Amino acid sequence: MMQGRQASHSAVPDAQVLRVSAGAKRGLLRSILVLVSLVIFAGLCTALAQQVWRWLDKPVTEVRVLGDARHLNKTELAQRLAAGLNAPLLQLDLSRLQERLLEEPWVRGAKVRRDWPPAIEVRIDEEVPVARWGDKGLLNHEGDIFWPELKPEYVSLPRLNGPASDTGRVMAQFHDLNRMFQSAGLKLSGLSLEARGAWTLELDNGMRVVVGRERVTERLARFIQIYRQGLAEHATQIEQVDIRYTNGVAVKWRPKPDTDEKAG
């Protein structure tokens, strides 16, 4: 009896070992199946992504330029951009396209995005000139210089000049002096700042005023007083007034017409 019970007890651990071994195999098989399923799923997703990429990554069929534009020809700008596209939609370098847009003199800012059907959409901000800068440039309201092809319509803008690093200073001085001259019924048409700091201004009646670099406000107040007292009635005959003197001004008169040539 004792031997029988002992044999029975020794058989139980063997059965447990067999059950544990079978469970481990089933767990391992399940893990392998999950891993294989994941690999297959990842492969399918990759293949699908490649198909979608190929479907989306097609040649651009349209370039749209949006935004208010008075000076830019949006159609011509779109054509120039389209002519330079050398890759399908998803492979285009949008930052490079934006750089190309900002090289346009009249473009102040630009945003570029992809669209579908395959298209590039561009939204531009155009420069707004408030003054001329020298003979060839224009200034925007922030004092930035840009260099478009000048047109006759810009002749009416005030003409400013000076070191390129001082555009903001020149613009601020122009506005301040214009307010000062309004009391005398005058308007500035130009202002120049020399590298050494001397100011020269032009009035809308064609008169040039040499101010210098010292006591600018004081000198101009004296000029306005002298102008009211006697220069105003001869304004069309005066070419330049130099107000750098302490007790007076130097007047340069316009050349008189040659009466002999007129008679001939």
Side-chain angles (χ1 to χ4, degrees):
M1 292 291 293
M2 292 293 294
Q3 291 180 351
R5 281 198 293 268
Q6 288 177 355
S8 175
H9 286 307
S10 63
V12 171
D14 293 340
Q16 290 178 345
V17 169
L18 290 174
R19 285 197 296 271
V20 170
S21 177
K25 288 182 180 179
R26 286 196 297 272
L28 178 61
L29 181 61
R30 188 181 301 111
S31 299
I32 293 174
L33 289 175
V34 170
L35 181 61
V36 171
S37 299
L38 288 175
V39 171
I40 294 173
F41 179 75
L44 290 174
C45 288
T46 301
L48 179 62
Q50 290 175 346
Q51 290 293 331
V52 172
W53 176 277
R54 283 192 290 268
W55 181 70
L56 292 174
D57 194 30
K58 293 182 179 180
V60 175
T61 58
E62 182 184 9
V63 176
R64 295 190 293 271
V65 178
L66 309 178
D68 296 333
R70 177 186 172 191
H71 305 282
L72 276 168
N73 187 316
K74 293 192 288 187
T75 301
E76 292 181 0
L77 181 58
Q79 290 173 348
R80 287 198 299 273
L81 285 175
L85 299 180
N86 55 5
L89 181 65
L90 298 183
Q91 298 179 49
L92 284 173
D93 186 347
L94 297 190
S95 61
R96 176 57 189 147
L97 283 178
Q98 187 176 36
E99 290 173 3
R100 284 177 55 193
L101 283 164
L102 294 176
E103 291 172 358
E104 296 282 336
W106 281 108
V107 176
R108 175 161 179 77
K111 295 181 180 179
V112 185
R113 74 178 188 89
R114 297 179 178 90
D115 200 3
W116 188 262
I120 292 295
E121 183 177 284
V122 176
R123 184 169 293 277
I124 58 169
D125 293 323
E126 190 180 56
E127 293 280 16
V128 179
V130 297
R132 289 177 291 157
W133 185 257
D135 296 325
K136 297 182 179 180
L138 293 174
L139 287 178
N140 63 21
H141 67 285
E142 294 184 352
D144 298 324
I145 308 172
F146 58 105
W147 309 92
E149 180 183 351
L150 295 184
K151 300 178 181 179
E153 63 187 279
Y154 308 134
V155 175
S156 60
L157 293 175
R159 183 179 181 274
L160 309 182
N161 208 347
S165 58
D166 287 328
T167 56
R169 179 186 175 192
V170 176
M171 286 182 66
Q173 183 77 309
F174 177 83
H175 291 303
D176 291 344
L177 295 183
N178 227 357
R179 286 195 293 267
M180 182 179 182
F181 273 75
Q182 285 176 356
S183 62
L186 294 171
K187 184 178 180 181
L188 268 65
S189 62
L191 180 65
S192 296
L193 173 64
E194 297 179 9
R196 58 189 178 87
W199 295 95
T200 300
L201 54 88
E202 297 176 7
L203 304 179
D204 59 351
N205 59 14
M207 187 184 302
R208 185 168 61 251
V209 182
V210 180
V211 185
R213 58 181 177 178
E214 299 175 355
R215 303 190 305 277
V216 172
T217 303
E218 177 186 334
R219 288 174 177 177
L220 287 173
R222 180 160 50 86
F223 166 76
I224 291 175
Q225 182 181 1
I226 296 173
Y227 183 86
R228 286 171 171 166
Q229 292 174 351
L231 294 182
E233 58 187 275
H234 304 289
T236 57
Q237 301 170 276
I238 298 174
E239 180 178 328
Q240 176 178 295
V241 180
D242 190 337
I243 63 174
R244 292 175 292 179
Y245 302 93
T246 304
N247 299 318
V249 299
V251 178
K252 180 180 179 182
W253 301 90
R254 296 184 186 278
K256 293 182 178 181
D258 192 330
T259 54
D260 292 336
E261 286 185 5
K262 285 187 176 180

